[in-house]
Amino acid sequence: MSQTASADASFTAEEPAESVAGADSRGAQRGAEGPTATFRRAAARARRKAALDDQKRSFLRMVSHELRTPLNAVIGFSEILASELYGPLGSPQYKEYAKLVHESGLKLLKLVNQIVEIARLEGHVTDLDVAAEPLDEAVEDVMAQLRAECEARGVALSAPDLVGMPGVLADRRGLRTILSNLMQNAVAHSPRDGVVTIEAERVAGGMVEISIRDQGEGVDAADLPRLLRPFEQGGGASLTRTGEGVGLGLPIVDLLTRAMNGSLRLKSAPGQGLTAIVSLPGS
């Protein structure tokens, strides 16, 4: 306190007056600039932001291309080897190893796609084309896409009122990405002979709620917020499965729904499965 008081006392009477005068002069100058100068500064900021967004897009395109190109070669050639397209490989182990390489390549490609998508969404460089989308068509497309995986796991997808589902305002690709991530997550955490239920209804405020419910072991409510953070998985046994996935599906859904003026919330309890509820504007 004494040092502060001493410092304050060291100024002469003229110095504060000059400081105040200088401040008033600068304030008056800024006031005199008027709306034109303010507009120019805002336009310059917008140009800098646009240039930065362009740089981010270029970087993501480059990374995506440089990673996907060799991965596609690994996946394609390993598939040729596994199927023995040009003749037998000889030892049966070679065919088995080629199949393992193919499966690992597919998993790695999926991870690359998810990481690039997370980077795009978190960097706000998405190019979404939001328009009226029929929800029933999107759900049907994703159900067909997951049919083989459902059969392998012994899990059924059920959409009781598929035809009556309301339309939404969403990006076509983004909507399918949301549904695919949520439905695949539900299938992965469902028991054999389990059922994943997809429903949709109009709610207050002109929104449409899409709920995807599984019959898995569920997760403690305290763990739910962690599931929306990249590379996080739940603490329950049902969400820490033998290394399948790295916890990017739900964060991607969360970022995509927010980019389309919607929201995602999760409901669960141990032994009661998990329900993901996406809210999007209705069309």
Side-chain angles (χ1 to χ4, degrees), residues 43-55 57 123-124:
R45 284 195 298 268
R47 286 194 298 271
R48 287 195 296 270
K49 183 179 183 302
L52 184 59
D53 286 347
D54 287 341
Q55 290 177 358
R57 288 189 183 93
H124 304 289

Side-chain angles (χ1 to χ4, degrees), residues 6-277:
S6 174
D8 290 342
S10 68
F11 289 101
T12 65
E14 290 79 14
E15 287 173 335
E18 290 175 358
S19 300
V20 170
D24 288 345
S25 175
R26 288 191 297 271
Q29 184 178 2
R30 284 195 298 268
E33 288 178 350
T36 302
T38 303
F39 175 79
R40 284 200 299 268
R41 286 196 298 272
R45 284 195 298 268
R47 286 194 298 271
R48 287 195 296 270
K49 183 179 183 302
L52 184 59
D53 286 347
D54 287 341
Q55 290 177 358
K56 290 178 181 177
R57 288 189 183 93
S58 298
F59 173 75
L60 289 172
R61 280 195 296 267
M62 182 271 293
V63 170
S64 176
H65 174 76
E66 293 300 322
L67 289 174
R68 286 172 176 156
T69 300
L71 270 175
N72 285 329
V74 170
I75 292 168
F77 289 126
S78 61
E79 185 175 16
I80 290 173
L81 293 172
S83 62
E84 298 180 315
L85 183 63
Y86 298 114
L89 296 175
S91 175
Q93 281 88 347
Y94 290 144
K95 183 175 181 178
E96 181 183 352
Y97 296 158
K99 184 178 179 182
L100 290 174
V101 170
H102 182 255
E103 291 173 353
S104 298
L106 289 173
K107 288 181 180 179
L108 187 54
L109 180 60
K110 179 181 177 181
L111 176 59
V112 168
N113 289 337
Q114 288 183 323
I115 291 174
V116 170
E117 187 72 3
I118 282 281
R120 278 163 39 85
L121 292 167
E122 289 188 337
H124 304 289
V125 292
T126 54
D127 297 312
L128 299 177
D129 181 17
V130 176
E133 282 291 324
L135 187 54
D136 56 343
E137 289 184 11
V139 170
E140 201 166 21
D141 288 348
V142 176
M143 290 176 71
Q145 172 191 327
L146 296 177
R147 186 171 293 122
E149 183 174 349
C150 289
E151 290 175 356
R153 293 183 180 274
V155 176
L157 292 173
S158 172
D161 190 25
L162 181 63
V163 177
M165 285 185 174
V168 294
L169 290 175
D171 175 75
R172 178 181 174 83
R173 174 181 169 273
L175 177 60
R176 283 157 176 77
T177 298
I178 288 170
L179 294 172
S180 177
N181 276 298
L182 292 180
M183 290 163 67
Q184 193 167 40
N185 185 70
V187 169
H189 298 116
S190 290
R192 184 161 287 276
D193 298 326
V195 178
V196 173
T197 305
I198 306 102
E199 297 176 314
E201 62 175 348
R202 292 191 183 275
V203 295
M207 303 295 285
V208 171
E209 284 192 348
I210 308 161
S211 64
I212 297 176
R213 183 175 64 255
D214 65 48
Q215 296 177 328
E217 295 179 20
V219 63
D220 192 277
D223 282 327
L224 292 177
R226 293 202 304 117
L227 301 183
L228 299 181
R229 297 199 293 267
F231 301 104
E232 291 276 1
Q233 292 183 332
S238 67
L239 292 178
T240 52
R241 303 166 49 87
T242 65
E244 289 190 29
V246 292
L248 291 176
L250 290 175
I252 286 174
V253 170
D254 183 42
L255 290 168
L256 263 177
T257 53
R258 282 192 274 158
M260 293 190 285
N261 299 313
S263 63
L264 167 69
R265 69 181 192 274
L266 305 175
K267 290 169 49 180
S268 186
Q272 297 182 19
L274 184 140
T275 301
I277 303 170

